[in-house]
């Protein structure tokens, strides 16, 4: 049975058997450190200027002319919003923000969600209180279509916060592309004329499978808007999430050194909190100035390197900074080993992909990539919100990482 609940009542209806579905609480693995035993590819990260222009220029996309859809003149209480990925790290904050602003929200959830399926239905209903919660399988279009149809309502907007939990090859295409496309197709059948996609700023330099999967979905949204002027999209490309930078807080608090690659200045980011990002995503539901645009977004303040992030943490702890600088060559060596092993043992495909992810985030900044210079730009990366990384570190030092667990992204 597939169950659909409101905050006060529920209905039941038959559906096919559910399949297991994994969501990633953060689309960004930790940006400056990684388990050296899960890395791959000793190839240096190189991209031609032509390809950089192709992908990075999408960050400054021009608005496509579109016919305003009627839902934008309605009161939020009369606007039906379908949210997929609603139990994920960002998704649950998006649901809360939508409810606070008065929208009529239907949240799609798995019967077992969270890290390793640790969250049951009752907990999910409590976390998404105020929304109509439908337990369904977004990876199975037939099941998903039927479950939505049985709700007996139409939708104005679909908001997708779906993301592969670990960035593995098959999981990336299953979630970042296929499941997200299912939500587009199913939503369109029930009248949705606007689609808000949570993507990632790193897709502007696509070297990883989850980036390619996200880009393919982005491209299909653009094509859908080009062929139907009644449809629009907003593609949100955030920088690093706070929790991706919190994995070393307890270690440093216990006296361990802060680990970083190279000199700690190889990459930088403008991290954004889950609440600020959720607020920006919900802005995209009704704001006409965000229609048919790709929207890179970071948190407030200047970009921070791993070295500067560590310095903030030591300052809060009132400790003398102590860093462990890991040469990139060590990572490249381990990557090379796995690169060769996967040719003999195909089952290591995901481990090899995790290596690529680690190498990418150790060297690439989560900022806008200027297509003309081929350099990452702090100045060109928009800022939004008020929450700072220092505030986040201070809170974690007081309260721990509850609600910010890395799960399958844990590295130390």
């Amino acid at each position: 049975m597939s169950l659909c609940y409101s905050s006060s009542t529920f209905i039941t209806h038959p559906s096919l058997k559910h399949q297991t579905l994994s969501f990633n609480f953060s689309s960004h693995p930790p940006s400056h450190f990684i388990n050296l035993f899960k890395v791959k590819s000793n190839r240096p990260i190189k991209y031609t200027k032509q390809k950089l222009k192709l992908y990075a220029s999408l960050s400054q996309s021009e608005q496509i002319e579109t016919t305003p859809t009627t839902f934008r003149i309605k009161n939020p209480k009369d606007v039906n919003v379908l949210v997929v990925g609603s139990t994920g790290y960002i998704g649950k904050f998006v649901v809360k923000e939508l409810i606070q602003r008065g929208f009529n929200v239907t949240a799609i959830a798995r019967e077992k969600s969270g890290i390793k399926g640790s969250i049951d239905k009752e907990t999910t209903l409590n976390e998404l209180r105020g929304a109509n919660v439908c337990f369904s399988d977004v990876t199975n279009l037939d099941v998903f279509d039927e479950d939505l149809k049985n709700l007996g309502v139409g939708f104005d907007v679909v908001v997708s916060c779906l993301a592969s939990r670990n960035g593995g090859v098959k999981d990336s295409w299953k979630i970042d592309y296929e499941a997200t496309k299912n939500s587009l197709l199913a939503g369109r059948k029930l009248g949705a004329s606007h689609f808000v996609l949570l993507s990632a700023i790193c897709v502007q330099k696509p070297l990883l499978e989850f980036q390619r999967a996200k880009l393919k979905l982005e491209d299909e949204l653009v094509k859908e808007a080009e062929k139907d002027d009644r449809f629009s999209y907003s593609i949100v490309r955030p920088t690093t999430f706070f929790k991706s930078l919190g994995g070393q807080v307890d270690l440093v608090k216990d006296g361990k050194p802060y680990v970083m690659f190279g000199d700690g200045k190889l990459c930088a980011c403008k991290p954004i909190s889950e609440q600020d990002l959720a607020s920006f995503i919900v802005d995209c539901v009704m704001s006409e100035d965000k229609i048919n645009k790709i929207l890179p977004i970071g948190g407030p303040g200047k970009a921070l390197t791993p070295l500067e992030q560590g310095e903030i943490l030591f300052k809060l702890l009132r400790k003398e900074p102590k860093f462990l600088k890991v040469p990139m060559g060590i990572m490249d060596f381990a990557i090379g080993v796995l690169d060769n092993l996967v040719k003999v043992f195909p089952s290591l495909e995901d481990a090899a992909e995790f290596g690529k992810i680690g190498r990418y985030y150790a060297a690439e900044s989560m900022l806008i990539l200027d297509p003309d210079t081929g350099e990452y730009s702090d100045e060109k990366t928009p800022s939004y919100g008020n929450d700072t990384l220092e505030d986040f570190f201070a809170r974690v030092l007081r309260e721990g990482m509850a609600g910010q667990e890395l799960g399958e992204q844990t590295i130390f």
Side-chain angles (χ1 to χ4, degrees):
M1 300 290 288
S2 175
L3 305 179
C4 297
Y5 300 76
S6 71
S7 56
S8 58
T9 61
F10 69 90
I11 58 174
T12 64
H13 58 80
S15 71
L16 299 178
K17 184 178 179 181
H18 291 281
Q19 299 175 356
T20 301
L21 171 60
S22 295
F23 292 94
N24 184 4
F25 282 1
S26 167
S27 62
H28 305 279
S31 66
H32 59 282
F33 51 90
I34 184 165
N35 185 335
L36 295 178
F37 298 99
K38 279 191 175 183
V39 292
K40 177 193 182 279
S41 181
N42 58 353
R43 293 169 292 181
I45 295 180
K46 294 181 179 179
Y47 240 63
T48 65
K49 179 174 278 191
Q50 183 179 11
K51 287 186 177 180
L52 288 177
K53 286 187 176 183
L54 174 63
Y55 295 113
S57 62
L58 292 176
S59 300
Q60 308 296 329
S61 61
E62 296 182 0
Q63 182 172 346
I64 298 172
E65 291 298 324
T66 183
T67 302
T69 46
T70 56
F71 79 86
R72 290 190 177 89
I73 63 174
K74 295 180 182 178
N75 188 295
K77 68 180 179 63
D78 298 317
V79 177
N80 293 336
V81 181
L82 177 68
V83 181
V84 292
S86 64
T87 59
Y89 176 60
I90 301 300
K92 55 190 173 186
F93 282 90
V94 169
V95 170
K96 291 176 183 177
E97 183 70 19
L98 284 164
I99 291 169
Q100 286 179 353
R101 297 197 196 183
F103 291 97
N104 185 21
V105 182
T106 297
I108 304 302
R110 294 168 293 153
E111 294 187 356
K112 290 287 186 179
S113 61
I115 299 171
K116 297 182 179 179
S118 60
I119 299 177
D120 59 18
K121 288 182 181 179
E122 183 177 351
T123 303
T124 296
L125 290 171
N126 185 57
E127 286 186 343
L128 302 178
R129 188 183 297 112
N132 301 309
V133 180
C134 178
F135 293 95
S136 188
D137 182 1
V138 74
T139 67
N140 186 320
L141 183 57
D142 291 337
V143 170
F144 190 41
D145 270 341
E146 186 67 18
D147 289 347
L148 290 182
K149 178 181 175 183
N150 287 335
L151 292 177
V153 298
F155 297 100
D156 300 295
V157 181
V158 177
V159 178
S160 174
C161 297
L162 291 170
S164 164
R165 180 179 296 280
N166 56 31
V169 175
K170 291 183 175 61
D171 197 55
S172 292
W173 286 100
K174 180 180 180 181
I175 305 301
D176 291 299
Y177 176 68
E178 293 176 9
T180 309
K181 184 173 182 179
N182 287 348
S183 67
L184 169 65
L185 296 174
R188 292 286 277 153
K189 288 179 183 178
L190 292 175
S193 58
H194 187 56
F195 194 98
V196 182
L197 174 68
L198 175 60
S199 186
I201 202 167
C202 60
V203 301
Q204 63 192 329
K205 190 173 181 179
L207 303 177
L208 307 170
E209 287 302 315
F210 83 87
Q211 295 167 341
R212 298 182 187 106
K214 287 180 182 293
L215 273 177
K216 183 173 175 60
L217 197 283
E218 287 188 9
D219 183 61
E220 294 191 10
L221 286 176
V222 173
K223 290 178 179 177
E224 182 74 9
E226 288 174 342
K227 74 179 183 181
D228 184 353
D229 63 7
R230 295 167 298 178
F231 175 80
S232 60
Y233 63 85
S234 298
I235 296 171
V236 181
R237 290 181 175 178
T239 59
T240 307
F241 302 157
F242 278 0
K243 82 165 186 177
S244 298
L245 304 178
Q248 297 196 73
V249 173
D250 286 340
L251 294 173
V252 173
K253 185 178 180 180
D254 291 340
K256 303 293 193 305
Y258 191 88
V259 181
M260 56 192 181
F261 286 97
D263 61 0
K265 301 177 182 179
L266 291 174
C267 56
C269 63
K270 298 177 76 169
I272 188 168
S273 72
E274 62 274 22
Q275 184 57 61
D276 283 342
L277 178 56
S279 178
F280 184 82
I281 289 171
V282 175
D283 287 348
C284 294
V285 171
M286 300 287 272
S287 297
E288 292 194 14
D289 65 349
K290 294 178 175 59
I291 292 173
N292 292 342
K293 289 184 178 179
I294 293 174
L295 303 160
I297 194 69
K302 76 178 191 70
L304 300 170
T305 64
L307 178 63
E308 291 169 321
Q309 295 162 24
E311 289 172 342
I312 291 172
L313 185 52
F314 283 112
K315 183 184 76 172
L316 289 170
L317 289 166
R318 298 181 179 178
K319 290 185 176 183
E320 189 70 23
K322 182 169 59 174
F323 295 98
L324 176 59
K325 299 179 179 180
V326 180
M328 290 296 292
I330 293 178
M331 176 180 282
D332 289 338
F333 174 78
I335 285 172
V337 171
L338 277 177
D339 219 357
N340 289 318
L341 284 175
V342 76
K343 297 175 183 177
V344 181
F345 304 103
S347 61
L348 293 176
E349 178 185 51
D350 277 353
E353 186 67 14
F354 299 152
K356 292 180 182 179
I357 293 172
R359 180 63 169 81
Y360 189 100
Y361 282 96
E364 302 294 332
S365 292
M366 297 298 106
L367 302 169
I368 281 185
L369 186 60
D370 190 321
D372 295 320
T373 66
E375 300 292 331
Y376 291 104
S377 173
D378 179 357
E379 293 74 19
K380 291 187 177 182
T381 304
S383 294
Y384 182 92
N386 300 301
D387 299 336
T388 67
L389 183 63
E390 184 170 353
D391 293 336
F392 170 72
F393 281 165
R395 186 171 76 248
V396 173
L397 287 171
R398 292 192 310 269
E399 305 171 6
M401 286 282 286
Q404 304 281 342
E405 296 86 353
L406 293 171
E408 293 181 33
Q409 294 177 337
T410 301
I411 50 178
F412 293 122

